[in-house]
């Protein structure tokens, strides 16, 4: 293999990317060496099993991916702003829209939400860590190295270019030779292992480690949304794992599961992909519903309206999410009866979602709303998401879908659902729990300014795309016709507004770190749930003593009774897990094995896989029983944090 086959050459934008990667990596190595921080990095972060630090690493990775996916989006919008622009050629455009979709769903939305779950769920249910802290670290490094493998494709080997759905036969070896598509398959496979393990871990944690008195129907809504999401992950992700494995075997070892020849079934890939893909949509939207429920209840100053209806609607959504996948290809030719069945199931899923909208409105009704930045995101979500939902019902009508399918109407619909639902929730959740994570609030003025820039930019970007779609503009075009120029140009202006909003949000993190007043109590927003009962910064064991839960809004009851999570008469030594470098090393070896397989270097891949197996054997015989935090240390920590 020549170097020009290994590295991507000939594109000025990719050369600029290579230079920036080298400069950023060099700067990080220089800073870590200059300030002698390598040992700190290894001890505090690379080997940690603390759910709070793992959550922070998920969120930092997700913000980096939001930047990468956002730059891809802006490049697409520049290309489509004017007819015949040739800012990107057809091949480069295909690569950009493939990586944009994959990164935003798999490597941005999911890790952002899983990061918030990691930090908050154990605190909300009164647990001291995850049920399996070692597996939690393994899950993070699995995601991290999967994202790394996918992202290096644009400078090494070439990016995948068959769309984020990678339909066969376009994604097969015959029509798509070279390593690009292999990066997609193995990057998703590697990160998917971590997601599946996280789903199991969260489910066990919630079912087995709740504080005394916290029955399932006394859990906060965010913890409920996490439990339901974990259920979907456990049943949906194995489908993706199998589908990716089958296509990998097709491409690398010459089998014929999804090929046009040898009795392969290309349409089977679409079925398997969407049997995972539609539940995946709810994996990224249900936790968002949970976040909005927490934020709205806190800043409306009252319990969420219709708590039981909220919970049951989430359970219904989870069940129905597995019964709607065919609506992604009504035009495939499955026949009127099949299309009718899935059209009805698609309409049904709108009912429990509508219930939730009215529950949020019922919570806001006659309440004294505090217009903080997290609340602004939550309030903007409701009308924006309704627009996305209503157009989703339009797409769910099989007959009408023949008109809308593969047009910009569909693009506008799913961005209205995913950005107004998931991205708004990520911003709302991060701003809401930020003081609990980092000990200070984000600046409210800058927060609101970035909110308005992003939200106005969002509507300016995607509302015109509904009309472009109704006017017949197909999706996946790398060029545009003169008659669509005006709406496309408006859409591009809006995209840069969203970019400015995100840039200001990132600046706000730096500005607030320098200027914001530090939190002196753990209760930054007059919170209602248990995470606000811990002091800030949160001690590594979370709770000195576990409170007895009497109500849905546990912390509201505790404040009425003047109770805290620190009762000296009940103190006992607390068992905590030890840090371990094994998850990092194991997943680094699996990353190397996957990288070798991308280029079909089978022998090298097997060598690294043997290394992974050796690490598993070492772990199997590792008798690490953790350590105990003694009573004196707990007293000292709590007294200093609580100012006693």
């Amino acid at each position: 293999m020549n170097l020009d086959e290994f590295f991507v050459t000939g594109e000025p934008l990719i050369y600029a990317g290579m230079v920036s990667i080298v400069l950023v990596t060099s700067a990080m190595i220089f800073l870590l060496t200059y300030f002698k921080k390598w040992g700190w990095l290894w001890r505090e972060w690379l080997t940690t099993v603390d759910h709070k630090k793992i959550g922070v690493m998920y969120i930092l990775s997700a913000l980096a991916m939001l930047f990468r996916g956002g730059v891809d989006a802006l490049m697409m919008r520049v290309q489509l702003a004017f007819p015949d622009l040739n800012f990107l050629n057809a091949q480069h455009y295909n690569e950009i829209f493939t990586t944009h979709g994959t990164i935003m769903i798999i490597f941005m939305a999911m890790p952002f939400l899983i990061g918030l779950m990691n930090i908050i769920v154990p605190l909300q249910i009164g647990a001291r860590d995850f049920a399996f802290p070692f597996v939690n670290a393994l899950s993070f490094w699995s995601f991290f190295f999967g994202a790394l493998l996918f992202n290096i494709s644009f400078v090494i080997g070439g990016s995948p270019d068959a769309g984020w759905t990678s339909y066969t036969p376009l994604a097969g070896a015959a029509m798509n030779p070279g390593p690009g598509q292999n990066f997609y398959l193995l990057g998703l496979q590697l990160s998917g292992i971590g997601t599946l393990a996280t789903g199991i871990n969260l489910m066990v944690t919630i079912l087995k480690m709740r504080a005394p008195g916290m029955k399932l129907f006394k859990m906060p809504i965010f913890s409920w949304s996490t439990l339901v999401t974990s259920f979907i992950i456990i049943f949906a992700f194995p489908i993706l794992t199998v589908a990716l494995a089958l296509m990998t075997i097709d491409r690398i070892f010459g089998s014929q599961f999804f090929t046009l020849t040898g009795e392969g079934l290309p349409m089977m890939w679409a079925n398997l992909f969407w049997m995972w893909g539609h539940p995946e949509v709810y994996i990224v939207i249900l936790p968002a519903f949970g976040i909005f429920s927490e934020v709205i209840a806190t800043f409306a100053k009252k319990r969420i309206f219709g708590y039981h209806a909220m919970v049951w609607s989430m359970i219904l959504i989870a069940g129905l999410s597995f019964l709607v996948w065919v609506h992604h290809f009504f035009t495939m030719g499955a026949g009127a009866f099949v299309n009718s069945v899935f059209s009805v199931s698609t309409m049904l899923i709108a009912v429990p979602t509508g219930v939730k909208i009215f529950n949020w409105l019922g919570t806001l009704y006659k309440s004294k709303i505090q217009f903080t930045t997290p609340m602004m995101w939550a309030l903007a979500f409701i009308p924006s998401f309704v627009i996305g939902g209503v157009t989703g019902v339009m797409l769910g009508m099989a007959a009408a879908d023949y008109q809308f399918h593969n047009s910009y109407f569909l693009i506008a619909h799913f961005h209205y659902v995913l950005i107004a639902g998931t991205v708004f929730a990520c911003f709302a959740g991060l701003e809401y729990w930020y003081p609990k994570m980092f000990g200070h609030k984000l600046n409210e003025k800058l927060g609101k300014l970035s909110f308005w820039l992003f939200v106005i930019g969002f509507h300016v970007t995607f509302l015109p795309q509904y009309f472009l779609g109704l006017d017949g503009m197909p999706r996946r075009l790398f060029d545009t016709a003169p008659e669509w120029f005006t709406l496309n140009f408006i859409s591009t202006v809006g995209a840069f507004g969203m970019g400015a909003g995100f840039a200001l949000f990132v600046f706000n993190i730096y500005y607030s770190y320098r200027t914001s007043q530090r939190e002196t109590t753990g209760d930054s927003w007059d919170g209602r749930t248990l995470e606000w009962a811990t002091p800030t910064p949160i001690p590594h064991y979370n709770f000195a003593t576990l409170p007895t839960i009497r109500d849905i809004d546990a912390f509201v009851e505790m404040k009425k009774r003047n109770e805290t999570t620190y009762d000296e008469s009940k103190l006992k030594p607390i068992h905590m897990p030890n840090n371990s470098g094994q998850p990092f090393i194991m997943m680094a070896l699996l990353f190397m094995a996957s990288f070798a397989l991308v280029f079909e270097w089978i022998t090298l891949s097997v060598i690294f896989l043997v290394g992974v197996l050796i690490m598993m054997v070492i772990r199997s015989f590792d008798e690490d029983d953790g350590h105990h935090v003694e009573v004196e240390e707990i007293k000292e920590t709590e007294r200093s944090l609580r100012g006693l």
Side-chain angles (χ1 to χ4, degrees):
M1 176 178 274
N2 297 325
L3 269 181
D4 63 341
E5 292 175 302
F6 186 70
F7 289 106
V8 178
T9 55
E11 280 282 352
L13 286 167
I14 289 173
Y15 289 141
M18 287 175 175
V19 171
S20 61
I21 288 168
V22 170
L23 289 174
V24 170
T25 308
S26 304
M28 287 166 69
I29 292 168
F30 171 76
L31 289 169
L32 286 165
T33 308
Y34 183 79
F35 291 108
K36 298 184 173 70
K37 289 289 184 184
W38 286 105
W40 166 83
L41 181 68
W42 177 256
R43 285 189 309 275
E44 296 293 323
W45 295 96
L46 300 186
T47 63
T48 188
V49 295
D50 182 345
H51 70 97
K52 298 178 288 295
K53 287 182 177 175
I54 290 170
V56 169
M57 290 194 290
Y58 267 117
I59 290 168
L60 287 173
S61 305
L63 285 169
M65 291 296 98
L66 183 54
F67 172 75
R68 161 81 210 269
V71 169
D72 285 349
L74 290 176
M75 289 165 72
M76 283 191 286
R77 284 312 325 158
V78 168
Q79 169 64 19
L80 293 172
F82 300 94
D84 304 319
L85 187 59
N86 289 326
F87 172 66
L88 303 172
N89 62 37
Q91 175 60 24
H92 198 177
Y93 184 87
N94 286 351
E95 292 175 9
I96 292 286
F97 92 74
T98 299
T99 53
H100 166 73
T102 312
I103 283 169
M104 287 303 203
I105 297 282
I106 308 285
F107 301 124
M108 191 290 288
M110 286 189 66
F112 209 128
L113 294 166
I114 287 172
L116 291 170
M117 291 172 187
N118 252 277
I119 298 165
I120 301 305
V121 168
L123 297 173
Q124 280 200 338
I125 64 171
R128 293 200 163 102
D129 207 315
F130 269 50
F132 310 114
F134 182 95
V135 175
N136 194 25
L138 204 70
S139 297
F140 170 74
W141 291 113
S142 165
F143 147 72
F144 180 85
F145 283 117
L148 184 63
L149 184 65
F150 185 86
N151 275 277
I152 59 172
S153 64
F154 87 103
V155 291
I156 296 173
S159 292
D161 60 359
W164 89 276
T165 53
S166 282
Y167 285 155
T168 51
L170 179 61
M175 296 181 75
N176 205 324
Q181 187 60 25
N182 296 347
F183 275 112
Y184 171 95
L185 294 168
L186 290 154
L188 264 64
Q189 191 71 281
L190 188 52
S191 65
I193 296 166
T195 307
L196 182 56
T198 298
I200 296 166
N201 210 344
L202 278 163
M203 184 175 269
V204 176
T205 304
I206 293 170
L207 291 176
K208 301 300 286 184
M209 296 180 70
R210 300 190 303 280
M214 185 180 276
K215 293 186 165 61
L216 279 174
F217 277 90
K218 284 184 184 169
M219 279 202 312
I221 291 285
F222 181 60
S223 293
W224 253 114
S225 71
T226 302
L227 178 61
V228 174
T229 302
S230 302
F231 166 86
I232 304 177
I233 287 172
I234 289 166
F235 286 96
F237 260 82
I239 303 171
L240 178 70
T241 303
V242 169
L244 291 169
L246 293 178
M247 198 200 281
T248 306
I249 296 166
D250 265 12
R251 288 183 57 86
I252 295 174
F253 299 104
S255 64
Q256 296 181 321
F257 293 109
F258 305 123
T259 57
L260 284 168
T261 56
E263 297 185 19
L265 291 169
M267 205 56 229
M268 184 55 72
W269 167 266
N271 274 283
L272 289 173
F273 183 88
W274 287 113
M275 284 169 81
W276 159 80
H278 202 84
E280 163 67 16
V281 173
Y282 291 95
I283 290 170
V284 296
I285 206 69
L286 285 177
F289 290 168
I291 291 165
F292 290 129
S293 300
E294 300 293 338
V295 169
I296 287 169
T298 299
F299 297 115
K301 298 288 172 202
K302 63 190 199 196
R303 177 183 295 185
I304 197 82
F305 177 80
Y307 170 88
H308 287 80
M310 285 291 250
V311 172
W312 282 111
S313 65
M314 283 193 289
I315 294 168
L316 267 173
I317 287 169
L320 288 168
S321 73
F322 287 92
L323 304 174
V324 294
W325 80 91
V326 173
H327 72 209
H328 292 274
F329 38 83
F330 279 144
T331 55
M332 173 182 105
F337 177 72
V338 171
N339 281 2
S340 301
V341 169
F342 283 91
S343 188
V344 169
S345 65
T346 303
M347 310 246 179
L348 275 176
I349 209 164
V351 176
T353 313
V355 167
K356 301 183 88 57
I357 298 286
F358 285 106
N359 282 39
W360 290 314
L361 294 175
T363 310
L364 294 167
Y365 181 64
K366 287 189 174 177
S367 60
K368 292 180 180 175
I369 300 171
Q370 277 183 289
F371 288 98
T372 59
T373 314
M375 189 61 160
M376 304 274 277
W377 286 108
L379 294 174
F381 149 76
I382 295 175
S384 309
F385 188 79
V386 166
I387 294 170
V390 168
T391 52
V393 173
M394 291 167 70
L395 285 157
M397 289 184 265
D401 187 64
Y402 273 75
Q403 180 64 38
F404 303 134
H405 188 64
N406 275 354
S407 75
Y408 260 73
F409 189 89
L410 173 64
I411 302 288
H413 153 70
F414 72 69
H415 283 87
Y416 258 87
V417 174
L418 286 169
I419 296 180
T422 304
V423 180
F424 284 18
C426 290
F427 285 135
L430 186 54
E431 301 223 12
Y432 176 59
W433 283 305
Y434 197 88
K436 185 49 68 181
M437 298 178 208
F438 300 108
H440 62 272
K441 289 180 181 172
L442 289 172
N443 182 281
E444 280 286 301
K445 275 188 181 172
L446 285 176
K448 284 176 181 164
L449 184 56
S450 76
F451 161 81
W452 284 113
L453 277 170
F454 194 93
V455 170
I456 292 169
F458 161 70
H459 286 286
V460 171
T461 304
F462 293 106
L463 201 60
Q465 292 183 14
Y466 279 122
F467 298 99
L468 282 168
L470 290 173
D471 199 37
M473 182 173 169
R475 67 194 289 198
R476 305 188 181 114
L477 283 188
F478 88 104
D479 201 359
T480 179
E483 60 265 30
W484 296 323
F485 161 70
T486 307
L487 289 174
N488 268 309
F489 185 78
I490 292 167
S491 188
T492 299
V493 171
F496 279 91
M498 292 169 77
F502 176 66
L504 190 59
F505 178 84
V506 173
F507 173 73
N508 192 11
I509 291 174
Y510 167 75
Y511 180 82
S512 302
Y513 172 72
R514 295 293 300 269
T515 62
S516 281
Q517 187 179 347
R518 292 319 186 240
E519 293 294 314
T520 50
T521 69
D523 188 13
S524 311
W525 305 107
D526 189 21
R528 308 183 68 78
T529 44
L530 205 52
E531 73 269 28
W532 302 108
T534 59
T536 302
I538 309 161
H540 69 281
Y541 50 77
N542 294 354
F543 299 95
T545 52
L546 293 175
T548 300
I549 306 303
R550 298 181 181 86
D551 195 48
I552 293 162
D553 291 333
F555 190 39
V556 174
E557 283 299 306
M558 286 172 67
K559 285 189 271 196
K560 283 179 191 169
R561 295 166 183 270
N562 209 17
E563 293 175 1
T564 68
T565 57
Y566 176 57
D567 182 346
E568 284 203 1
S569 64
K570 294 181 182 173
L571 286 181
K572 293 176 187 168
I574 297 171
H575 178 262
M576 294 300 290
N578 288 331
N579 285 357
S580 172
Q582 291 175 25
F584 178 81
I585 296 165
M586 198 185 297
M587 285 300 146
L589 287 167
L590 201 52
F591 166 78
M592 297 305 291
S594 304
F595 182 78
L597 198 56
V598 163
F599 289 95
E600 301 183 26
W601 301 334
I602 307 297
T603 309
L604 190 59
S605 182
V606 168
I607 291 167
F608 283 117
L609 280 172
V610 169
V612 175
L613 290 171
I614 290 167
M615 286 304 300
M616 289 178 175
V617 171
I618 291 169
R619 171 63 184 167
S620 300
F621 292 98
D622 186 0
E623 296 188 12
D624 179 2
D625 290 330
H627 63 279
H628 281 89
V629 185
E630 299 302 332
V631 170
E632 283 308 310
E633 188 186 336
I634 298 167
K635 281 184 182 175
E636 198 178 309
T637 305
E638 294 289 326
R639 283 172 180 170
S640 70
L641 287 173
R642 295 172 186 275
L644 299 174

